[in-house]
């Protein structure tokens, strides 16, 4: 499974049409669900910070064809527990 496939799988299996969510919801699934965990770990490019990697995942979410941007931002917790602004996605 590729990272793109895992992202699409997370979105299609966890969100219904019209659901709103941010990238951290998808990232959390990639990190914590057994079948995605290794894909998440192996998908990180060399010399890439966690923040950069999660930004890459956010771009892949947007390019997945499963979502549209709501045009809004939401504050949610990063894996480090700090709040950050994130794109609010709507499941198509």
């Amino acid at each position: 499974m590729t990272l793109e496939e895992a992202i699409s799988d997370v979105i299609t299996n966890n969100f219904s049409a019209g659901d709103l969510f941010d990238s951290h919801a998808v990232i959390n699934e990639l990190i914590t669900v057994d079948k995605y965990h290794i894909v998440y770990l192996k998908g990180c490019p060399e010399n890439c910070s966690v923040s950069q990697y999660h930004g890459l995942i956010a771009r892949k979410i947007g390019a997945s064809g499963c979502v549209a941007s709501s045009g809004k931002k939401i504050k949610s917790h990063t894996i480090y527990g700090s709040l950050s602004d994130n794109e609010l996605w709507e499941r198509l």
Side-chain angles (χ1 to χ4, degrees), residues 10-83:
V10 166
I11 294 168
T12 58
N13 290 324
N14 293 282
F15 304 105
S16 299
D19 282 351
L20 298 172
F21 60 94
D22 73 346
S23 300
H24 289 138
V26 175
I27 291 165
N28 189 56
E29 289 294 302
L30 293 172
I31 291 171
T32 61
V33 175
D34 286 347
K35 70 179 181 176
Y36 308 126
H37 185 73
I38 297 300
V39 175
Y40 168 82
L41 291 174
K42 289 184 176 181
C44 188
E46 265 189 65
N47 300 318
C48 185
S49 71
V50 171
S51 179
Q52 290 169 328
Y53 184 39
H54 288 182
L56 173 69
I57 290 172
R59 289 189 296 281
K60 290 181 182 292
I61 292 169
S64 70
C66 304
V67 302
S69 172
S70 72
K72 297 180 179 181
K73 301 272 185 182
I74 187 171
K75 285 197 181 285
S76 64
H77 288 98
T78 69
I79 62 168
Y80 298 118
S82 59
L83 286 170

